[in-house]
PDB file of all heavy atoms in Angstrom:
ATOM      1  N   LEU D 122       5.636   8.975  -4.101  1.00 93.00           N
ATOM      2  CA  LEU D 122       6.997   8.792  -4.711  1.00 93.00           C
ATOM      3  C   LEU D 122       7.469   7.343  -4.371  1.00 93.00           C
ATOM      4  O   LEU D 122       8.130   6.731  -5.079  1.00 93.00           O
ATOM      5  CB  LEU D 122       8.091   9.787  -4.498  1.00 93.00           C
ATOM      6  CG  LEU D 122       7.627  11.218  -4.775  1.00 93.00           C
ATOM      7  CD1 LEU D 122       8.830  12.155  -4.560  1.00 93.00           C
ATOM      8  CD2 LEU D 122       7.085  11.322  -6.141  1.00 93.00           C
ATOM      9  N   GLU D 123       7.172   6.980  -3.070  1.00 91.00           N
ATOM     10  CA  GLU D 123       7.675   5.643  -2.544  1.00 91.00           C
ATOM     11  C   GLU D 123       6.943   4.475  -3.215  1.00 91.00           C
ATOM     12  O   GLU D 123       7.566   3.495  -3.548  1.00 91.00           O
ATOM     13  CB  GLU D 123       7.367   5.520  -1.065  1.00 91.00           C
ATOM     14  CG  GLU D 123       8.301   6.448  -0.201  1.00 91.00           C
ATOM     15  CD  GLU D 123       7.930   6.337   1.310  1.00 91.00           C
ATOM     16  OE1 GLU D 123       7.074   5.410   1.577  1.00 91.00           O
ATOM     17  OE2 GLU D 123       8.627   7.154   2.021  1.00 91.00           O
ATOM     18  N   GLU D 124       5.715   4.763  -3.745  1.00 94.00           N
ATOM     19  CA  GLU D 124       4.950   3.615  -4.280  1.00 94.00           C
ATOM     20  C   GLU D 124       5.035   3.595  -5.896  1.00 94.00           C
ATOM     21  O   GLU D 124       4.582   2.588  -6.523  1.00 94.00           O
ATOM     22  CB  GLU D 124       3.534   3.490  -3.835  1.00 94.00           C
ATOM     23  CG  GLU D 124       2.735   4.655  -4.416  1.00 94.00           C
ATOM     24  CD  GLU D 124       1.216   4.550  -3.908  1.00 94.00           C
ATOM     25  OE1 GLU D 124       0.869   3.700  -3.302  1.00 94.00           O
ATOM     26  OE2 GLU D 124       0.405   5.441  -4.485  1.00 94.00           O
ATOM     27  N   LEU D 125       5.626   4.616  -6.391  1.00 95.00           N
ATOM     28  CA  LEU D 125       5.714   4.814  -8.005  1.00 95.00           C
ATOM     29  C   LEU D 125       6.369   3.598  -8.553  1.00 95.00           C
ATOM     30  O   LEU D 125       5.909   2.974  -9.561  1.00 95.00           O
ATOM     31  CB  LEU D 125       6.284   5.995  -8.411  1.00 95.00           C
ATOM     32  CG  LEU D 125       5.230   7.265  -8.258  1.00 95.00           C
ATOM     33  CD1 LEU D 125       6.049   8.586  -8.819  1.00 95.00           C
ATOM     34  CD2 LEU D 125       3.964   6.994  -9.196  1.00 95.00           C
ATOM     35  N   PRO D 126       7.458   3.068  -8.063  1.00 95.00           N
ATOM     36  CA  PRO D 126       8.199   1.931  -8.552  1.00 95.00           C
ATOM     37  C   PRO D 126       7.274   0.639  -8.610  1.00 95.00           C
ATOM     38  O   PRO D 126       7.297  -0.065  -9.527  1.00 95.00           O
ATOM     39  CB  PRO D 126       9.417   1.779  -7.721  1.00 95.00           C
ATOM     40  CG  PRO D 126       9.754   3.112  -7.193  1.00 95.00           C
ATOM     41  CD  PRO D 126       8.344   3.726  -6.963  1.00 95.00           C
ATOM     42  N   ALA D 127       6.522   0.511  -7.502  1.00 95.00           N
ATOM     43  CA  ALA D 127       5.564  -0.612  -7.527  1.00 95.00           C
ATOM     44  C   ALA D 127       4.511  -0.462  -8.592  1.00 95.00           C
ATOM     45  O   ALA D 127       4.168  -1.369  -9.200  1.00 95.00           O
ATOM     46  CB  ALA D 127       4.892  -0.750  -6.180  1.00 95.00           C
ATOM     47  N   LEU D 128       4.064   0.716  -8.887  1.00 96.00           N
ATOM     48  CA  LEU D 128       3.055   0.914  -9.883  1.00 96.00           C
ATOM     49  C   LEU D 128       3.691   0.691 -11.232  1.00 96.00           C
ATOM     50  O   LEU D 128       3.078   0.115 -12.103  1.00 96.00           O
ATOM     51  CB  LEU D 128       2.474   2.364  -9.804  1.00 96.00           C
ATOM     52  CG  LEU D 128       1.588   2.686  -8.578  1.00 96.00           C
ATOM     53  CD1 LEU D 128       1.351   4.160  -8.339  1.00 96.00           C
ATOM     54  CD2 LEU D 128       0.305   1.904  -8.593  1.00 96.00           C
ATOM     55  N   ASN D 129       4.966   1.106 -11.492  1.00 96.00           N
ATOM     56  CA  ASN D 129       5.595   0.819 -12.723  1.00 96.00           C
ATOM     57  C   ASN D 129       5.722  -0.621 -12.964  1.00 96.00           C
ATOM     58  O   ASN D 129       5.473  -1.176 -14.036  1.00 96.00           O
ATOM     59  CB  ASN D 129       6.970   1.496 -12.719  1.00 96.00           C
ATOM     60  CG  ASN D 129       6.974   2.968 -13.033  1.00 96.00           C
ATOM     61  OD1 ASN D 129       6.031   3.479 -13.545  1.00 96.00           O
ATOM     62  ND2 ASN D 129       8.112   3.686 -12.727  1.00 96.00           N
ATOM     63  N   GLU D 130       6.079  -1.469 -11.777  1.00 96.00           N
ATOM     64  CA  GLU D 130       6.236  -2.787 -12.005  1.00 96.00           C
ATOM     65  C   GLU D 130       4.946  -3.512 -12.187  1.00 96.00           C
ATOM     66  O   GLU D 130       4.721  -4.420 -12.933  1.00 96.00           O
ATOM     67  CB  GLU D 130       6.936  -3.412 -10.655  1.00 96.00           C
ATOM     68  CG  GLU D 130       7.034  -4.857 -10.638  1.00 96.00           C
ATOM     69  CD  GLU D 130       8.142  -5.360 -11.594  1.00 96.00           C
ATOM     70  OE1 GLU D 130       8.851  -4.555 -12.108  1.00 96.00           O
ATOM     71  OE2 GLU D 130       8.089  -6.656 -11.878  1.00 96.00           O
ATOM     72  N   LEU D 131       3.877  -3.055 -11.592  1.00 96.00           N
ATOM     73  CA  LEU D 131       2.538  -3.558 -11.830  1.00 96.00           C
ATOM     74  C   LEU D 131       2.048  -3.479 -13.257  1.00 96.00           C
ATOM     75  O   LEU D 131       1.474  -4.326 -13.857  1.00 96.00           O
ATOM     76  CB  LEU D 131       1.558  -2.769 -10.915  1.00 96.00           C
ATOM     77  CG  LEU D 131       0.115  -3.478 -10.573  1.00 96.00           C
ATOM     78  CD1 LEU D 131       0.439  -4.650  -9.666  1.00 96.00           C
ATOM     79  CD2 LEU D 131      -0.734  -2.408  -9.862  1.00 96.00           C
ATOM     80  N   GLN D 132       2.382  -2.293 -13.870  1.00 96.00           N
ATOM     81  CA  GLN D 132       2.101  -2.083 -15.268  1.00 96.00           C
ATOM     82  C   GLN D 132       2.922  -3.023 -16.134  1.00 96.00           C
ATOM     83  O   GLN D 132       2.234  -3.673 -17.031  1.00 96.00           O
ATOM     84  CB  GLN D 132       2.349  -0.677 -15.819  1.00 96.00           C
ATOM     85  CG  GLN D 132       2.076  -0.331 -17.131  1.00 96.00           C
ATOM     86  CD  GLN D 132       0.626  -0.298 -17.431  1.00 96.00           C
ATOM     87  OE1 GLN D 132      -0.223   0.035 -16.714  1.00 96.00           O
ATOM     88  NE2 GLN D 132       0.332  -0.555 -18.860  1.00 96.00           N
ATOM     89  N   ARG D 133       4.148  -3.128 -15.938  1.00 96.00           N
ATOM     90  CA  ARG D 133       4.907  -4.200 -16.721  1.00 96.00           C
ATOM     91  C   ARG D 133       4.497  -5.603 -16.582  1.00 96.00           C
ATOM     92  O   ARG D 133       4.417  -6.403 -17.613  1.00 96.00           O
ATOM     93  CB  ARG D 133       6.461  -4.077 -16.184  1.00 96.00           C
ATOM     94  CG  ARG D 133       7.221  -2.912 -16.608  1.00 96.00           C
ATOM     95  CD  ARG D 133       8.703  -3.063 -16.434  1.00 96.00           C
ATOM     96  NE  ARG D 133       8.957  -3.195 -15.007  1.00 96.00           N
ATOM     97  CZ  ARG D 133       9.358  -2.179 -14.100  1.00 96.00           C
ATOM     98  NH1 ARG D 133       9.336  -1.064 -14.552  1.00 96.00           N
ATOM     99  NH2 ARG D 133       9.710  -2.506 -12.909  1.00 96.00           N
ATOM    100  N   LYS D 134       4.093  -5.978 -15.399  1.00 95.00           N
ATOM    101  CA  LYS D 134       3.764  -7.399 -15.152  1.00 95.00           C
ATOM    102  C   LYS D 134       2.387  -7.788 -15.661  1.00 95.00           C
ATOM    103  O   LYS D 134       2.203  -8.943 -16.175  1.00 95.00           O
ATOM    104  CB  LYS D 134       3.848  -7.741 -13.667  1.00 95.00           C
ATOM    105  CG  LYS D 134       5.190  -7.787 -13.108  1.00 95.00           C
ATOM    106  CD  LYS D 134       5.192  -8.169 -11.661  1.00 95.00           C
ATOM    107  CE  LYS D 134       4.711  -9.603 -11.419  1.00 95.00           C
ATOM    108  NZ  LYS D 134       4.856 -10.045 -10.028  1.00 95.00           N
ATOM    109  N   TYR D 135       1.291  -6.798 -15.675  1.00 95.00           N
ATOM    110  CA  TYR D 135      -0.043  -7.296 -15.959  1.00 95.00           C
ATOM    111  C   TYR D 135      -0.571  -6.468 -17.081  1.00 95.00           C
ATOM    112  O   TYR D 135      -1.781  -6.846 -17.351  1.00 95.00           O
ATOM    113  CB  TYR D 135      -0.710  -6.938 -14.705  1.00 95.00           C
ATOM    114  CG  TYR D 135      -0.397  -7.816 -13.466  1.00 95.00           C
ATOM    115  CD1 TYR D 135       0.423  -7.453 -12.447  1.00 95.00           C
ATOM    116  CD2 TYR D 135      -0.820  -9.182 -13.289  1.00 95.00           C
ATOM    117  CE1 TYR D 135       0.905  -8.154 -11.494  1.00 95.00           C
ATOM    118  CE2 TYR D 135      -0.426  -9.885 -12.285  1.00 95.00           C
ATOM    119  CZ  TYR D 135       0.356  -9.457 -11.299  1.00 95.00           C
ATOM    120  OH  TYR D 135       0.846 -10.221 -10.321  1.00 95.00           O
ATOM    121  N   ALA D 136       0.071  -5.730 -17.854  1.00 94.00           N
ATOM    122  CA  ALA D 136      -0.407  -5.120 -19.030  1.00 94.00           C
ATOM    123  C   ALA D 136      -1.007  -6.038 -19.961  1.00 94.00           C
ATOM    124  O   ALA D 136      -2.138  -5.852 -20.438  1.00 94.00           O
ATOM    125  CB  ALA D 136       0.524  -4.135 -19.593  1.00 94.00           C
ATOM    126  N   ASP D 137      -0.286  -7.127 -20.212  1.00 93.00           N
ATOM    127  CA  ASP D 137      -0.605  -8.128 -21.089  1.00 93.00           C
ATOM    128  C   ASP D 137      -1.829  -8.982 -20.741  1.00 93.00           C
ATOM    129  O   ASP D 137      -2.387  -9.751 -21.402  1.00 93.00           O
ATOM    130  CB  ASP D 137       0.547  -9.098 -21.480  1.00 93.00           C
ATOM    131  CG  ASP D 137       1.613  -8.343 -22.263  1.00 93.00           C
ATOM    132  OD1 ASP D 137       1.250  -7.279 -22.840  1.00 93.00           O
ATOM    133  OD2 ASP D 137       2.639  -8.783 -22.362  1.00 93.00           O
ATOM    134  N   GLN D 138      -2.121  -8.752 -19.328  1.00 94.00           N
ATOM    135  CA  GLN D 138      -3.212  -9.587 -18.855  1.00 94.00           C
ATOM    136  C   GLN D 138      -4.414  -8.700 -18.611  1.00 94.00           C
ATOM    137  O   GLN D 138      -5.410  -9.116 -17.977  1.00 94.00           O
ATOM    138  CB  GLN D 138      -2.824 -10.073 -17.457  1.00 94.00           C
ATOM    139  CG  GLN D 138      -1.697 -11.190 -17.586  1.00 94.00           C
ATOM    140  CD  GLN D 138      -1.286 -11.849 -16.165  1.00 94.00           C
ATOM    141  OE1 GLN D 138      -2.202 -12.246 -15.520  1.00 94.00           O
ATOM    142  NE2 GLN D 138       0.029 -11.736 -15.958  1.00 94.00           N
TER     143      GLN D 138
END
Side-chain angles (χ1 to χ4, degrees):
L122 306 188
E123 291 176 7
E124 70 176 4
L125 283 178
L128 293 168
N129 281 341
E130 179 67 14
L131 200 70
Q132 178 72 26
R133 285 194 296 267
K134 289 182 66 174
Y135 296 98
D137 291 342
Q138 299 181 45

